[in-house]
Amino acid sequence: MKGIKKYFGPSTLVTAAFIGPGTLTVCTLSGANFGYTLLWVLLFATIATIILQEMTARLGLITQSGLGEAIRSQIEHPTAKTLAVLLVFTAIILGNAAYEAGNISGAVLGISGIFDSSFPWALLIGLAAFGILFIGKVKIIERILIGLVILMSAVFLFTAFLVKPNVSGIVNGLFVPSLTESNHLAILGLIGTTIVPYNLFLHASSVSQKWKSPNDLNDLRKENGVAIGLGGLISMAIVVTSAATIFGKGVTGINEMALQLEPLLGSWAKYFLALGLFAAGISSAITAPLAAAYTARGIFGWSGNLNSLKFRSVWIFILGIGTLFSMLGYKPIEVIQVAQIANGILLPIIVFFLIYLCNKKSLLGTYINKPWQNALAMLVIAVSLLVSFRSLNSVFGFI
């Protein structure tokens, strides 16, 4: 049991955080609209996530503090420190607010698939999340919801084999990159739903709860690779089931999304997917505001406990913005898509600071980045910037 437990820890929390309604929706749309051709994006994003989460986890292990604290303490010039803190805080607030809107919209998409869709579910879900966060009884509820998400993930993995997908199409999709005028936003959404910026802060802050010594680094890396790799495999399974069952049919709501699970679940597919979406949405709706509050506390150096006014004001703001945008009448699938795209655009800012910190000998000593780690992290920034620019250019026509 001790050998097995080493593979479950902070990285498992990261995986549970990115396998949310955003991943389910964006991966389903990817398979439905582009077949297997964007599997290479998930392969790239999964490898990139393993590398970046190892960097932030290593930083958390060696310093026994969070990424926000490191940014505040290691940038010495007052003006540069102020700009860095404001830039990172703004990126996290904007990203998490967008992500929260997607989380609540995902929960709404799920519950409205079973009950009356005209009911103000967004407001009710927002109030429920507020109550859970305010009272502080997060762990028990989170475990139940994450258990449902794990069950949904297992169903997708099993269904991916059951639908007998096109093996050559999968191989081509994994290893032959496709970048066209029509798939920019889809690529950015897949990157944004896998390499989640706030997970870099969440991981660094949670590492010290399990790992205490630099001697634990090898075990940390194993856990990170296994947990994140499994998350990437689940995301790919969703694309595969979607591509094999609903490619070219169009997706407007949960009824079309559920078709991909009918080979395994039959007429129960819609209800199972609705429950999974609801659980994923609620669990992420609790996690995202908390992550933003932890980030703010770290980069601003706030004192006090989790019940302090400053800490609570951050997660209340994130939750409020997410609930408001979910109530404005936009289609849940559209809100979720925009949230993942926003995260993909903001990602390079956070990765830049992570690379800077992981190359400081005064902070990490002999545990600084290897050249190949820097190269791969810079590749993540380059790809994200390229796709972001091409996506925004296609929308706004800069050039």
Side-chain angles (χ1 to χ4, degrees):
M1 286 300 296
K2 186 178 180 181
I4 294 174
K5 282 177 69 176
K6 74 172 61 175
Y7 297 109
F8 296 90
S11 300
T12 310
L13 178 64
V14 170
T15 299
F18 81 70
I19 300 296
T23 294
L24 178 54
T25 302
V26 172
C27 289
T28 296
L29 291 173
S30 173
N33 295 330
F34 304 102
Y36 306 105
T37 60
L38 295 185
L39 283 171
W40 67 272
V41 182
L42 286 175
L43 180 61
F44 164 78
T46 301
I47 294 171
T49 303
I50 291 174
I51 293 165
L52 295 176
Q53 295 294 161
E54 186 278 336
M55 287 168 56
T56 194
R58 174 164 32 97
L59 185 146
L61 174 66
I62 302 304
T63 65
Q64 289 291 291
S65 63
L67 181 54
E69 290 90 335
I71 292 173
R72 178 172 52 85
S73 65
Q74 293 300 309
I75 300 177
E76 298 175 357
H77 192 281
T79 303
K81 178 184 289 190
T82 301
L83 289 174
V85 166
L86 290 176
L87 183 61
V88 171
F89 182 66
T90 301
I92 287 296
I93 289 297
L94 289 176
N96 275 34
Y99 212 75
E100 186 69 352
N103 293 333
I104 295 176
S105 294
V108 171
L109 182 63
I111 199 168
S112 62
I114 302 176
F115 301 105
D116 183 8
S117 60
S118 63
F119 189 83
W121 292 113
L123 178 60
L124 185 63
I125 290 166
L127 290 173
F130 176 86
I132 293 168
L133 287 168
F134 193 85
I135 296 170
K137 301 295 184 182
V138 176
K139 290 293 182 183
I140 297 175
I141 295 172
E142 254 192 355
R143 286 170 184 168
I144 296 172
L145 295 170
I146 288 174
L148 291 171
V149 175
I150 291 172
L151 177 61
M152 180 179 68
S153 300
V155 168
F156 271 103
L157 286 170
F158 190 78
T159 306
F161 290 97
L162 193 65
V163 294
K164 298 179 180 179
N166 185 322
V167 177
S168 63
I170 292 175
V171 172
N172 286 335
L174 282 171
F175 301 109
V176 181
S178 168
L179 182 62
T180 65
E181 290 295 327
S182 61
N183 65 18
H184 291 159
L185 292 177
I187 291 172
L188 199 55
L190 288 171
I191 292 173
T193 195
T194 308
I195 318 173
V196 183
Y198 82 72
N199 273 344
L200 297 172
F201 289 86
L202 185 64
H203 202 174
S205 297
S206 60
V207 158
S208 61
Q209 297 176 20
K210 179 172 183 177
W211 312 106
K212 303 295 184 182
S213 165
N215 296 328
D216 295 325
L217 187 56
N218 284 335
D219 285 341
L220 180 150
R221 284 169 171 162
K222 289 177 183 177
E223 186 239 336
N224 183 67
V226 170
I228 304 299
L230 180 60
L233 187 63
I234 292 166
S235 298
M236 292 178 196
I238 297 171
V239 172
V240 168
T241 59
S242 176
T245 56
I246 57 176
F247 174 58
K249 294 182 179 179
V251 176
T252 59
I254 193 170
N255 290 327
E256 294 83 6
M257 292 175 67
L259 291 174
Q260 62 190 309
L261 293 181
E262 284 190 357
L264 176 64
L265 300 177
S267 60
W268 287 96
K270 175 183 175 180
Y271 302 102
F272 181 87
L273 186 64
L275 180 62
L277 269 169
F278 177 74
I282 287 285
S283 61
S284 297
I286 295 169
T287 306
L290 271 182
Y294 277 117
T295 301
R297 190 176 72 166
I299 61 176
F300 290 121
W302 292 341
S303 59
N305 58 27
L306 305 187
N307 295 324
S308 68
L309 180 60
K310 290 179 181 178
F311 189 88
R312 280 181 166 173
S313 65
V314 175
W315 67 251
I316 289 173
F317 175 77
I318 295 295
L319 180 58
I321 291 294
T323 303
L324 177 62
F325 272 91
S326 297
M327 293 174 60
L328 290 179
Y330 297 108
K331 293 181 179 178
I333 287 182
E334 293 175 352
V335 175
I336 294 168
Q337 272 187 295
V338 170
Q340 310 316 312
I341 292 167
N343 271 295
I345 292 172
L346 295 169
L347 176 65
I349 297 172
I350 309 302
V351 175
F352 170 80
F353 284 104
L354 181 61
I355 295 173
Y356 169 75
L357 293 170
C358 286
N359 280 279
K360 292 205 71 173
K361 281 192 175 182
S362 61
L363 181 66
L364 296 182
T366 59
Y367 297 98
I368 60 172
N369 274 4
K370 301 289 191 299
W372 65 268
Q373 290 172 312
N374 286 328
L376 288 172
M378 291 300 295
L379 179 62
V380 173
I381 292 178
V383 171
S384 298
L385 287 174
L386 173 64
V387 178
S388 298
F389 176 78
R390 294 189 66 171
S391 300
L392 293 173
N393 184 55
S394 66
V395 174
F396 298 106
F398 298 131
I399 298 177

